[in-house]
Amino acid sequence: MLSIVEPATEEVMAEVPRAGTGDVDSAVAAARGAFPAWRAVAPGDRAAIMRAIADGIEAKLDSLARIEARNAGKPISDATGEIGMVVETFRYYAAGPERLLGKTIPVAGGVDFTFREPMGVVGLIVPWNFPLAIASWKVAPALAAGNTVVLKPAELTPLSALELEKIALEAGLPEGVLNVVVGPGSTCGQRMVEHPDINKIAFTGSTEVGRSIAEGAAGTIKRVTLELGGKSAAVVFADADIDKAAAAVPYAVFGNAGQDCCARSRILVERSQLDRFLEVMEGTVKAMRVGDPLDSSTEMGPLISASHREAVASFVPDERNVAFRGGVPEGPGYWFPPTVLAPVSNTERAAREEIFGPVACVIPFDGEEEAVRIANDTEYGLSGSIWTRDGGRALRVARAIDTGVLSINSNSSVRVSTPFGGFKQSGIGRELGPDALDHYTEVKNVYYSTEEGS
Ligand code: NAP
Ligand code: MG
């Protein structure tokens, strides 16, 4: 059995059976068996089942949000928003089955057209930071396109995925179409990557594991989409509304206790406004409400585990670079205070590696060219934001930064209807929006001769 721990209390909140590679094989066999019938379901009927799944999740929104808040240690207000997004994601992709449009292509001697076919069995491997939200970004388009699914949640946070499996069955999804396997990545995840009957792996997690998945998938030429790490920049120009930026930007690092691939953990500030920026930011960070995830006023919870807290703490070995910190509750729980390091050079370890915790580096810069150079001086390219009142500059810099998702004068990063994914070592492919459906289908081209007698 696997003990599921609540990070805010360090207590066991549930026990679930732990799967092995044999369970992966059974799940793949069930998914393979269910595939022909699922792909044959009429598009409108598939859409109706997906809408029923959305309704089923919505009916249990409060209890799912509570599970997520307790198991991942995230504030209940965030968890409620995330489960709301899961509902929206299933509704958005419910339109998918009827929008898998092909093309007609002019050719000589006949008619040429394309189909978007399902891939078959897709293996989905997801992390613990946004457990059900990230699962839904994969499950919904995969099902909409007519695939069957084996879903492996992170062992630390499997409870919401197990609930989803039940809700989907109750909503009329046929048996075998969605199979949740709760087991370790090193055995079950790896078996999925190597399994000859899985056609595609969609993964969210660390760049290191993403790399090993890309290698493992090569053996069977599996399709792979990867959402990996980030070290994104918030770029604050002197001509921005500094008070507004300094009050907002901390939430793009300390949200989800920094355990967010989109975290804009490098805060680049134009030197002439550095002091004012830090002064306002300090007020915001010190006032941040860190505590019980189930309290509706909480803004930041604990980290996911003791070992993860140790990894985060290694980036702040002493107080030398700490400009200021927020507070944490006493007692049990894997707490780590929101911590701001300043001034930091982009060559330091804290500015180069993904910390995945509530640690922000404030990096001064001089002028637009240097801002772009520093923002791009990273192996990652997932997210970012630009703060300026100069519209031309905002667009110039947005075009110059090598990253998948940007916001201007806002922390916004993920929306159901817009594409999300990374440049460089932040990943391959896009989730959400219309683009995601393409990643769960194969293009088939058919030529039909119209010559006489054919
Ligand atoms: P991870 O190891 O990449 O885990 C993500 C998922 O992959 C989990 O379901 C995990 O399973 C599974 N997995 C692990 N090894 C695998 C393998 N060899 N083959 C197939 N699947 C495998 O992430 P983590 O260890 O939880 O976190 C480590 C670091 O990754 C974090 O500190 C952070 O920097 C980064 N991270 C990024 C994201 C993101 O959203 N991009 C999310 C989480 C973590 P189990 O955990 O169940 O064993
Ligand atoms: Mg790991």
Side-chain angles (χ1 to χ4, degrees), residues 62-73:
D62 290 342
S63 71
L64 284 166
R66 230 183 121 78
I67 288 172
E68 213 78 317
R70 290 182 64 199
N71 191 185

Side-chain angles (χ1 to χ4, degrees), residues 309-331:
R309 179 169 61 183
E310 245 174 71
V312 171
S314 78
F315 287 91
V316 193
D318 51 53
E319 298 301 304
R320 255 182 309 164
N321 235 357
V322 176
F324 46 85
R325 278 183 153 147
V328 289
E330 306 222 322

